[in-house]
Each structure stands twice: as structure tokens, then as C-alpha cells.
Amino acid sequence: MPTLLTRRLALLAEEKHRAVLAGGLRGIERETLRVDRAGHLAHTPHPGALGSALTHPQITTDYAETLLEFITPAENDIGVTLAKLDGIHRYAYSKLGNELLWSQSMPCTLPAEEDIEIAWYGTSNLGTLKHVYRRGLALRYGKAMQCIAGIHYNYSLDERLWRVLAEHEAREQPDAKRLTPRAFQSEAYLATIRNFRRYSWLLMYLFGASPVLSAGFLRGRPHKLETLSADTLYLPYATSLRMSDLGYQNDAQSGLRPHENCLDSYVAALTKAVNQPYEPYAKLGTKRDGEWIQLSTNVLQIENEYYSTIRPKRVIQTGERPIQALCARGVQYIEVRCMDVDPFEPVGISETAGRFLDAFLLFCALEESPQITPEQSARYTENFARTVKEGRRPGLTLHNGDAEVPLPVWGADLLERIRPAAALLDTLRGDSIHGDALAAQMRKLNDPTLTPSAQVLEALKSHGNSFNAFALAQSEQHAAYFRSHAPSAEEAAYFDGLAAVSLAEQAEMEAAPQSNFDDYVAAYRNSNLCQSKQDAD
């Protein structure tokens, strides 16, 4: 009997629907630390030649003044997106002087906490709000954790595709509850997220690239890592320490599990968290000696503080908060946040990885996706945790809902289920690039030494098993590539223009009359209430 996946794939394979399948968008956000030639954290301000970190659409900073974030435009093809990302890197290197971009997710040897500069966005109320929010992150999580870098993969399907599915399935099930187009799309993205939660352990095995870290990163926190060398800690079978409890963790968020079974409950959980006081934060207050140290004393200062491997997103309008955008207009795309920076790729992610992600996410979007019980959620979390800490361990099993099964066996089964989605994408292009990407992942399941995490450990052997030495060598290699491929005159003029406009926009904001910052924060806090249901047009 045909499954929901096979029925949907057959529908989208029809000639009249090819255009809607090809119409989705892909965007990438890549974070990377600026370091000096010795591999130490740079202590220079964000380069003015790159523009304003507050208003530039493609080059900004994340947490630290030295943590750059490159944001590509959204494109229909991941190959084009990666070319845009390459262009941003090449331009950045033309303005960095002798500095390097760190090639790893886990940070370089970091200085003392007080010597890690929080990103500065100028004197406007908006710029100050962004800076104070980051002060709060430092207070709550420590600065070292905020220097971790990753790849965020933004993915959407054409809105017409959701309408095609909705209309077809309404005809198949005339007695089923009818949703508005916007509600159907939102619920479909939430279903995609649920499947992602079920199967994202596979991404950690295939693409995790942080099995080691600098010995000083943990700042004296207790751990069960092993010593690889004087400056390096690791776990022998780990795939992604970045995504383990050694990376992002916080007691206040430990009980926060936004419901992904429907958009209303997801939004309600985050709305509660940004309004719910948390006693340890309340004891610290929002000000110290008259200076703001955090935006609020609640579980979350803002909704983006919630750490998650994937988020439902909607492009926000000026002055709008993410929760408000989701409430008002529904889910527009999803943001995959668990991908490590690939240290062997100059831009941090390969086209092969992007092609596989497209097939994986299309599978997650079209496959049956029942609602998740708390017990199932705990099981998915455990599968993910096992994979990031010991994914390459011989004999490792995960729980598939029925029984414990060997990771490679379940992984191979998943790849076979994803294969038809990859094949459909290839028919649009007339080549086999998605199928080839899938075949490359099957080789990793058959041979763990081909995984990025294993390759990192192998490469460290040539550098005295030193994480910092390996990472610096890769950073220098990538720098040589980008500097030997300088931007063309046309590319340089384009980015020079973006930089100039962004600096002018920041100057205009700072020259405009500003309300009292305390009042500005109060108004911002009060703007997180959702006034509309996601299924009301």
C-alpha cells in the first residue's frame, strides 16, 4: 500500500508540479572567530571596512566582537548559495589584514573571561539592546560557550507546494478537518521539525566534526573527556562535542521543551519562558551599579536565547519579534542549527553536505510525522546524545521505537527511505548529484574512518595531537585559498556598497532622537504577546 511519502513524491513528480518543487530557498549562516597569526583570539574591533555589524545584511557579529557571522541571500539552489558564501569570505579576507578566520566549531585557546569582548553595535537603543542581551548571555552561560561557532542551514519549500499537497489531500480525505493554507503550511513545517528530531542523530554521525577541543575551554567544569595531548581533550568515538552537554547547556533551559506538535503550543511555551521569572537570575537583577547586565531575569531574555537543533522561522518586520511574526503570519522556513563547521572546507560546509541536507529535509517534510509524546521526545534526545558523544563506537545502538538497533543498520535503512527524495531532486536537474551525495553518506556508514570526526582525529596526528595546531594549520590553508582568489572589481564594489550603506544606516539611527533606554527595554519586553491564532486569516 502506498505510504504518505510515496504518494506525495508521485504527486510532485508530475510534470505540472515540477516548478513548485524547484522553487524552495536555501540560505546559510556561517559563524567564525577572528584570530591572529598565532591562533589566539583577535583583540581588534569589528573591521570598519566590513561595514556595520548592526545593519549589514550579510556580514555581522554573533556573540563576541571577534565572532563574525556571514549570512548568504536565500537562493533556489544550494550551489548558488555556496558560491555567495564563498564570495563573502573572499571579500572579508580582503579587509582582515593579517588576521585569520578560525576553521573549527570549537574555539581557539581563549583568554580570561574579562578579555573576551562582547560584540558592540553602537549607541542607538537597538544597538544597546543587542549588546545588553549579550551581557546577559555572558552572565548566564559564560563567555567561552558563546564563542562556539556553527553552520545554520535555512530551508524552505515553495509555498505553492504546500497548497498542492493541501488540495490533493483534501480531495483524498474529504471528511478531514480543513486548514487554511497558512495553517497547513505551518503545521507541515512543524511536522518536518518532528521528523528532524526523530532522525537528526544521523546528521551528527555523518557531519559531526568536533571530537576534540582546547583543554582550557571548559574553564574548570567537571567533565569525562580524555586527554589527547597537553592542550587537547577528546572522546575517542565522539562526533560533535559542540552539540553535546559540554557545548551548549544551562540549568534554566533544562526543563524548557517547546511543544513541536502544533505552532500554537510551540509559541505558548516560548512566550511563557520569556515571561517566567527564574530565581537565580532574579538574584542577579537587571542592573549592577546602574549598568544593565541582562534584559530580564526570566528564563529567557528573548525567544532566540532558546538553544535548539532546529527552529521554525518567519522573516521579521522592523520592530517585530520572532514570536509575533510566527503568530501573525505562520512558519515561512526552518533553520537547522546543529551542523558543525567542516574544518576541511574553506567555507565550512561542502556542496555534498548541502545536497544531502536538501534530500534529508525533503524526506522529513513529506514523510508521515505523528505527534511526539514526552517519552518519545526523551528517546530522541538520548539517541542524539549517544551519537554526538560516541557515534563511531563499534556496536553502538540507538532505540528506533521498537528496539535497540545498531546505528549503521538504522542509518542505512534511513538512507534507503531518503533515496526516492534524492532521485526526485535529481530529475529536476537531469543529473545524479543528490544521489551521489547520498552514496557518499552510505560509505561513511560502512566505514566510520570516512566521517569528518574520524578524519579530524587522524589529521591531528600530524600536528602532535594538538587541536590548536591542527586548527591553525587549516585556518592558514583556507586563508591562502581565499587570498589567492581575491574578489573581482565588481564583487568588491558590491560589498563596498553594502558596507557604506550599513554604516550610513547606523549613523542615521544614532543621530535620530532616542527614547530613554529603560523605557525602550520595557516596551520591548511588553511586545512579546501574540494576539492572533496561527489558523485565523
Side-chain angles (χ1 to χ4, degrees):
M1 182 178 177
T3 65
L4 180 65
L5 175 65
T6 57
R7 294 197 304 273
R8 286 177 163 182
L9 287 170
L11 178 67
L12 296 175
E14 295 176 11
E15 189 67 35
K16 62 183 177 180
H17 297 317
R18 295 287 182 88
V20 301
L21 183 60
L25 296 174
R26 315 287 179 267
I28 292 176
E29 303 163 27
R30 190 262 166 106
E31 301 158 343
T32 176
L33 287 169
R34 287 188 291 115
V35 300
D36 63 24
R37 298 310 290 253
H40 299 138
L41 195 68
H43 289 289
T44 51
H46 180 68
L50 293 179
S52 164
L54 177 65
T55 55
H56 198 296
Q58 296 185 39
I59 301 174
T60 184
T61 51
D62 188 80
Y63 167 77
E65 185 72 359
T66 51
L67 184 56
L68 284 168
E69 182 174 2
F70 298 152
I71 305 168
T72 72
E75 304 288 348
N76 289 123
D77 185 85
I78 186 57
V80 178
T81 304
L82 289 170
K84 295 289 181 71
L85 184 60
D86 181 80
I88 298 172
H89 280 77
R90 289 187 288 110
Y91 179 77
Y93 260 109
S94 75
K95 305 297 182 183
L96 284 180
N98 289 326
E99 291 179 351
L100 303 170
L101 300 179
W102 194 241
S103 61
Q104 313 288 317
S105 276
M106 300 308 291
C108 59
T109 299
L110 294 172
E113 291 276 302
E114 60 267 22
D115 293 326
I116 299 175
E117 294 294 328
I118 297 172
W120 177 248
Y121 300 97
T123 58
S124 68
N125 277 340
L126 177 60
T128 303
L129 185 90
K130 290 169 72 72
H131 179 76
V132 171
Y133 166 60
R134 285 156 175 77
R135 287 184 184 176
L137 295 178
L139 194 70
R140 295 167 176 223
Y141 312 104
K143 292 181 177 180
M145 192 181 89
Q146 300 301 316
C147 290
I148 296 173
I151 294 283
H152 297 172
Y153 198 87
N154 297 317
Y155 176 89
S156 72
L157 291 168
D158 193 312
E159 294 193 355
R160 294 173 298 170
L161 181 146
W162 300 119
R163 291 198 292 272
V164 167
L165 295 182
E167 291 166 4
H168 180 76
E169 287 161 19
R171 289 193 297 270
E172 283 191 332
Q173 299 175 318
D175 296 330
K177 178 184 176 183
R178 298 292 295 271
L179 297 175
T180 65
R182 189 180 73 204
F184 184 93
Q185 177 174 312
S186 292
E187 293 308 317
Y189 276 122
L190 269 290
T192 305
I193 289 172
R194 292 195 297 273
N195 275 335
F196 183 91
R197 293 258 287 117
R198 290 179 172 98
Y199 306 127
S200 57
W201 58 265
L202 180 63
L203 299 181
M204 295 296 90
Y205 175 84
L206 297 173
F207 302 108
S210 54
V212 297
L213 50 78
S214 178
F217 170 76
L218 295 175
R219 306 293 211 209
R221 283 164 48 195
H223 64 83
K224 295 182 180 180
L225 300 182
E226 299 179 22
T227 298
L228 188 61
S229 67
D231 69 356
T232 302
L233 300 175
Y234 85 124
L235 286 176
Y237 301 115
T239 63
S240 178
L241 294 179
R242 165 181 169 258
M243 294 307 300
S244 76
D245 55 3
L246 296 171
Y248 297 112
Q249 66 162 6
N250 174 258
D251 289 340
Q253 290 194 24
S254 61
L256 180 57
R257 293 285 183 271
H259 303 284
E260 291 146 346
N261 288 333
C262 79
L263 183 59
D264 283 345
S265 60
Y266 176 87
V267 166
L270 287 186
T271 300
K272 179 181 178 182
V274 296
N275 289 285
Q276 180 178 347
Y278 184 63
E279 183 60 27
Y281 299 159
K283 290 179 179 178
L284 298 170
T286 56
K287 290 185 179 181
R288 182 179 297 157
D289 300 325
E291 288 285 322
W292 281 87
I293 58 173
Q294 55 181 340
L295 291 176
S296 78
T297 59
N298 297 332
V299 173
L300 300 178
Q301 298 174 90
I302 63 175
E303 51 269 42
N304 282 352
E305 187 176 339
Y306 173 60
Y307 293 117
S308 177
T309 58
I310 187 169
R311 287 176 180 165
K313 299 290 288 284
R314 160 69 64 173
V315 174
I316 61 173
Q317 300 170 353
T318 302
E320 186 178 42
R321 294 183 62 160
I323 285 179
Q324 292 174 310
L326 287 174
C327 281
R329 298 183 302 284
V331 184
Q332 183 180 20
Y333 66 99
I334 53 177
E335 179 189 35
V336 174
R337 300 168 53 82
C338 61
M339 297 293 286
D340 283 351
V341 173
D342 184 340
F344 302 106
E345 291 291 330
V347 299
I349 180 173
S350 68
E351 183 175 351
T352 298
R355 298 294 178 189
F356 179 78
L357 276 171
D358 281 354
F360 177 84
L361 292 171
L362 182 61
F363 163 77
C364 288
L366 302 181
E367 174 67 300
E368 189 79 47
S369 183
Q371 294 200 348
I372 295 174
T373 67
E375 294 76 20
Q376 289 170 333
S377 180
R379 186 165 67 244
Y380 303 153
T381 299
E382 173 63 19
N383 285 340
F384 192 92
R386 289 187 199 177
T387 305
V388 298
K389 280 195 168 181
E390 51 179 353
R392 288 176 290 104
R393 180 171 64 79
L396 177 68
T397 62
L398 305 177
H399 202 292
N400 69 359
D402 296 318
E404 293 282 341
V405 295
L407 182 152
V409 172
W410 192 8
D413 175 68
L414 265 179
L415 291 188
E416 286 304 313
R417 292 167 62 191
I418 296 166
R419 188 179 303 281
L424 180 58
L425 293 174
D426 283 340
T427 62
L428 296 177
R429 296 173 50 89
D431 61 21
S432 61
I433 197 165
H434 296 89
D436 294 343
L438 191 143
Q441 309 321 310
M442 185 66 82
R443 289 192 289 273
K444 294 178 190 175
L445 284 169
N446 292 332
D447 183 358
T449 66
L450 297 178
T451 59
S453 55
Q455 292 188 329
V456 165
L457 290 175
E458 182 63 27
L460 257 70
K461 294 177 182 178
S462 301
H463 299 278
N465 280 331
S466 167
F467 167 71
N468 292 305
F470 163 69
L472 180 58
Q474 291 301 111
S475 302
E476 290 171 337
Q477 181 179 321
H478 298 337
Y481 163 77
F482 289 121
R483 288 184 168 132
S484 67
H485 295 79
S488 66
E490 183 181 6
E491 289 172 322
Y494 169 74
F495 283 108
D496 285 346
L498 288 181
V501 169
S502 71
L503 291 168
E505 287 177 342
Q506 179 176 334
E508 182 179 355
M509 291 173 66
E510 292 175 351
Q514 303 280 326
S515 63
N516 176 276
F517 184 67
D518 289 19
D519 294 338
Y520 184 84
V521 173
Y524 185 82
R525 284 183 191 156
N526 291 331
S527 69
N528 61 34
L529 298 178
C530 292
Q531 302 299 331
S532 61
K533 295 289 187 181
Q534 57 92 12
D535 60 347
D537 279 336

